[in-house]
Amino acid sequence: MANETPPARKASFLSLTQLISLAIIITLAANALISSQDLAFVIFSIIYIYFLSTFAFPPFPTPPKNPPIFDPKNRILPIYVSAGAIIGLFLPLIYILQGIFSGDKERIKTAAPHLFLLATQVYMEGVVFSDMFAIPIHVFVPVFYNSKRIFSIVEWLVTEFSIVEDADDSYVRVLFGRALALGNMAFWGFNLFGFLLPIYLPRAFNKYYSSSKVKD
């Protein structure tokens, strides 16, 4: 999930979107669904963001007044981002909450890592999508987190189709879980390999280096 940042935007830490993301993270943590490996990944990403921003891609002292990477009038991109929020955040949250109440811990344990990482990604995007960070850092967050979540979704998908149903399983819930895992695999696989890497990444780096040449 990548969205374009308006000029002269400050880093955000507690926007409405970030508060929702924090609520999801806290819910997962309160139910012991966050693994130490995923937590270590988040800590490493924060450290690496600082390293890249300091030594590899420092922000410009005066942000260049270039046109945004994507046309602000583009109507498809907001729909695409909203679809990602529904498929990746809200539906998995409903699925996990229902699993908590019904005691279906086996399935939600593999669904939770994707939700945790996506909620953290959304929060971090609010921080780095500002003039305090260069455009390559804007790209790094969604690409880095999306790449990690692909492996989490594969594990979730395998679990959904490998668990043997018993008499207590709701047919609707089992079907919903499998469809949700498949939907997330398709959406985020396309997001990484069909949008972030071939489209967003080249445009962002081209804009960054073009701005650097202008300043030189």
Side-chain angles (χ1 to χ4, degrees):
M1 294 171 70
N3 40 22
E4 182 63 24
T5 305
R9 176 178 171 182
K10 297 181 179 180
S12 172
F13 293 93
L14 290 175
S15 67
L16 177 60
T17 302
Q18 288 172 301
L19 287 173
I20 294 173
S21 299
L22 282 176
I24 292 174
I25 293 170
I26 292 171
T27 299
L28 296 176
N31 288 276
L33 295 173
I34 299 177
S35 68
S36 57
Q37 293 89 341
D38 290 330
L39 185 59
F41 175 85
V42 171
I43 294 173
F44 171 75
S45 73
I46 295 172
I47 296 172
Y48 198 52
I49 285 171
Y50 175 78
F51 171 81
L52 290 177
S53 183
T54 303
F55 299 104
F57 304 108
F60 297 115
T62 303
K65 295 181 179 180
N66 292 332
I69 296 175
F70 299 103
D71 186 353
K73 297 180 180 179
N74 188 321
R75 297 182 180 181
I76 297 177
L77 190 59
I79 296 174
Y80 181 72
V81 172
S82 299
I86 294 171
I87 295 172
L89 278 176
F90 296 113
L91 291 181
L93 178 61
I94 293 171
Y95 179 67
I96 289 173
L97 289 176
Q98 201 278 333
I100 292 172
F101 292 133
S102 63
D104 185 9
K105 288 291 183 77
E106 193 171 1
R107 281 190 172 87
I108 64 176
K109 278 184 179 179
T110 52
H114 154 72
L115 181 60
F116 167 70
L117 291 170
L118 182 55
T120 306
Q121 173 187 331
V122 171
Y123 183 87
M124 291 303 301
E125 284 180 355
V127 175
V128 304
F129 276 43
S130 70
D131 291 331
M132 293 176 59
F133 295 90
I135 292 176
I137 308 300
H138 302 182
V139 179
F140 170 77
V141 171
V143 170
F144 194 57
Y145 275 85
N146 204 152
S147 300
K148 168 64 173 174
R149 285 190 295 103
I150 290 294
F151 294 98
S152 299
I153 296 172
V154 169
E155 184 179 355
W156 175 20
L157 192 60
V158 171
T159 300
E160 286 290 346
F161 283 91
S162 62
I163 295 178
V164 178
E165 301 174 38
D166 56 40
D168 295 330
D169 284 334
S170 166
Y171 176 75
V172 174
R173 173 170 171 76
V174 171
L175 192 62
F176 178 72
R178 291 176 177 177
L180 190 58
L182 281 170
N184 274 278
M185 186 73 247
F187 184 91
W188 299 111
F190 170 80
N191 189 61
L192 179 62
F193 298 109
F195 174 69
L196 291 178
L197 294 179
I199 298 176
Y200 186 61
L201 184 67
R203 290 190 183 188
F205 273 88
N206 181 62
K207 181 178 178 182
Y208 177 76
Y209 286 114
S210 296
S211 300
S212 178
K213 289 179 181 178
V214 170
K215 288 205 168 280
D216 293 339

